[in-house]
Amino acid sequence: MVSQPSQEEIERRRIVGVGPERVTNISSTDFPGHYPGEDHAWDLSDFKSKFQVMIHDKPDPLTCSFSLIGIDASMANAFRRILIAEIPTLAIEHVYVSNNTSIIHDEVLAQRLGLVPLKGDKNGLNWLKWFKKPTEEDPVGSSPTDYNTVVMNLRVECTENKDAKKGETDPTKLYNNAHVYASAITFDPKGQQDQYFPPPNGMIRPVHPNILLAKLRPGQKIAMELHCIKGIGADHAKFSAVATAYYRLLPTIDIIRPIVGRDAEKFARCFPRGVIGLETVTAEEACRRGSGYEGHLGKKKAVVRDTFRDTVSRECLRHEEFQDKVKLGRVRDHFIFSVESTGQFDADDLFVESVKVLKAKCERLKRSVANMMH
């Protein structure tokens, strides 16, 4: 017989308990969200009504914080892994050195160049084909063409600055091009690339032009041709679309018994600023029998203001005066993501890109299963 859980049981299942020395209610079911004797058949309309995406903060185009509410941890973790390792970006893969008389060895400078994040028109990135590297099955691989390779140049020579003041000691004023920055890397479009990477905002360029690559002195020069290809973070970290992508569960704080007076002030100090607030006990509360505020009229009481700011440090559980007065936990299906883009995509676009990647993987799985059936 199919039974329906009570609302209290549903809320209990959603909360992961946080105690002073252990975490409780962490076990999941064999199939996420399914419990014996209950009807949990997939319902698209029910999923739509419960699933939410909330944008919390976007201080700049490369940083974003948002919440995914109403999904299982396996799905949230899939999006996190895709953000880190499976969204295609462009990076320098091959460096052809014509001249390098700086003190930095060729291979070290090539490594530094490979880690410089690049950006360009997203439509152009989608237009680019994958560059196939040589393998045992295909020893030749791909040949560089305008469809799979972007060419950039780094050509810098250091000379003396004839206009430098007498007695000047700053190398950047004594010499021209004493410091080589990422801004010196220039885009050299081939074939149709000038159409898909139009200047000035669509052309391939470093995200941060002030990255220091090398230091030169008069007579030293660097001349290199850089070949960029499309890749994913699973191949190399330089292709990762994010500098970091992680999530945490929304904290919960339940004040079971009233905390008033100096204890309330001490309780508030156990949490980051803004999590716990102080309010005055009203006459109605002080007169209501069983409220716990009897005889505390006009005193300060602790109230929960914003659990989003909490770091779940468990500091309040260390103090005896708060024993059996507060319960900490985390919401099992509320994931707060923090994403920092490396620059190819805006941070808020990255989640959409991760959904596209996951959708494509599901489509491939469906085709594979269909082929097995025939």
Side-chain angles (χ1 to χ4, degrees):
M1 182 176 179
V2 177
S3 61
Q4 292 296 330
S6 64
Q7 189 62 35
E8 182 180 352
E9 173 63 13
I10 293 175
E11 289 301 317
R12 186 197 67 80
R13 293 173 180 175
R14 291 187 67 224
I15 303 300
V16 176
V18 178
E21 296 179 354
R22 65 194 183 106
V23 180
T24 60
N25 195 27
I26 59 174
S27 299
S28 182
T29 54
D30 291 339
F31 298 94
H34 288 67
Y35 294 86
E38 300 175 7
D39 183 13
H40 293 286
W42 169 256
D43 188 300
L44 181 59
S45 59
D46 182 59
F47 174 77
K48 287 182 176 180
S49 66
K50 294 179 180 178
F51 179 65
Q52 298 180 56
V53 179
M54 298 174 57
I55 304 295
H56 300 300
D57 189 25
K58 189 184 178 186
D60 58 73
L62 302 184
T63 307
C64 182
S65 175
F66 61 92
S67 283
L68 299 183
I69 306 171
I71 63 173
D72 186 70
S74 58
M75 290 297 299
N77 196 48
F79 286 126
R80 182 190 66 84
R81 291 172 65 93
I82 290 172
L83 285 168
I84 293 173
E86 297 188 54
I87 296 179
T89 63
L90 200 68
I92 297 170
E93 178 72 6
H94 301 112
V95 177
Y96 299 92
V97 183
S98 300
N99 195 355
N100 176 26
T101 54
S102 71
I103 62 171
I104 302 181
H105 296 292
D106 294 351
E107 59 272 24
V108 176
L109 184 54
Q111 172 73 4
R112 291 177 65 85
L113 289 167
L115 295 175
V116 173
L118 305 174
K119 65 179 178 180
D121 192 281
K122 287 184 288 186
N123 294 325
L125 181 64
N126 293 330
W127 169 77
L128 279 177
K129 307 298 182 183
W130 294 91
F131 184 94
K132 295 182 180 179
K133 299 179 182 179
T135 61
E136 293 183 0
E137 294 77 13
D138 183 10
V140 178
S142 298
S143 298
T145 68
D146 59 321
Y147 291 99
N148 59 23
T149 303
V150 171
V151 177
M152 305 187 79
N153 292 307
L154 176 61
R155 302 184 185 280
V156 184
E157 182 177 2
C158 181
T159 59
E160 292 188 5
N161 181 11
K162 297 179 180 180
D163 297 326
K165 296 180 180 179
K166 187 176 181 179
E168 181 64 64
T169 58
D170 185 353
T172 60
K173 296 178 181 179
L174 273 174
Y175 316 119
N176 299 313
N177 299 322
H179 291 178
V180 181
Y181 294 99
S183 56
I185 301 175
T186 57
F187 177 43
D188 184 12
K190 305 294 183 182
Q192 304 179 57
Q193 290 180 358
D194 55 349
Q195 301 176 23
Y196 290 94
F197 300 105
N201 296 326
M203 60 189 295
I204 302 298
R205 61 201 186 279
V207 175
H208 307 288
N210 294 325
I211 296 176
L212 182 63
L213 301 177
K215 294 182 178 181
L216 303 179
R217 289 299 179 263
Q220 294 180 336
K221 62 176 65 176
I222 296 174
M224 296 178 170
E225 185 174 288
L226 319 174
H227 285 195
C228 313
I229 65 172
K230 189 162 69 170
I232 57 176
D235 294 334
H236 194 287
K238 67 183 178 182
F239 291 112
S240 182
V242 297
T244 183
Y246 64 92
Y247 62 76
R248 61 189 178 96
L249 297 178
L250 178 70
T252 62
I253 305 171
D254 294 322
I255 298 178
I256 304 172
R257 293 165 52 195
I259 303 175
V260 297
R262 292 186 176 179
D263 284 352
E265 296 176 358
K266 182 178 180 178
F267 185 72
R269 291 194 297 270
C270 291
F271 296 87
R273 183 174 298 177
V275 175
I276 301 297
L278 299 176
E279 295 181 359
T280 303
V281 177
T282 63
E284 180 183 354
E285 292 171 328
C287 295
R288 189 167 62 247
R289 181 175 298 178
S291 66
Y293 294 112
E294 299 96 328
H296 296 291
L297 177 62
K299 293 184 178 180
K300 296 294 183 181
K301 65 174 181 177
V303 295
V304 179
R305 286 275 172 81
D306 186 5
T307 60
F308 185 89
R309 298 169 178 262
D310 188 27
T311 57
V312 195
S313 66
R314 314 187 201 188
E315 173 66 20
C316 64
L317 302 180
R318 297 176 58 249
H319 304 280
E320 293 184 3
E321 53 266 52
F322 304 134
Q323 292 294 322
D324 301 322
K325 290 186 177 182
V326 61
K327 183 186 294 184
L328 304 181
R330 290 182 181 271
V331 181
R332 186 189 298 273
D333 62 350
H334 188 139
F335 302 89
I336 304 171
F337 276 77
S338 295
V339 177
E340 295 179 16
S341 171
T342 54
Q344 178 66 67
F345 298 91
D346 285 351
D348 54 350
D349 291 336
L350 283 170
F351 174 65
V352 178
E353 294 297 323
S354 69
V355 173
K356 292 179 182 177
V357 172
L358 184 59
K359 183 179 178 180
K361 295 175 76 171
C362 292
E363 292 293 338
R364 288 197 298 271
L365 177 61
K366 287 174 61 178
R367 288 195 298 269
S368 299
V369 173
N371 292 335
M372 291 172 59
M373 300 298 291
H374 295 291

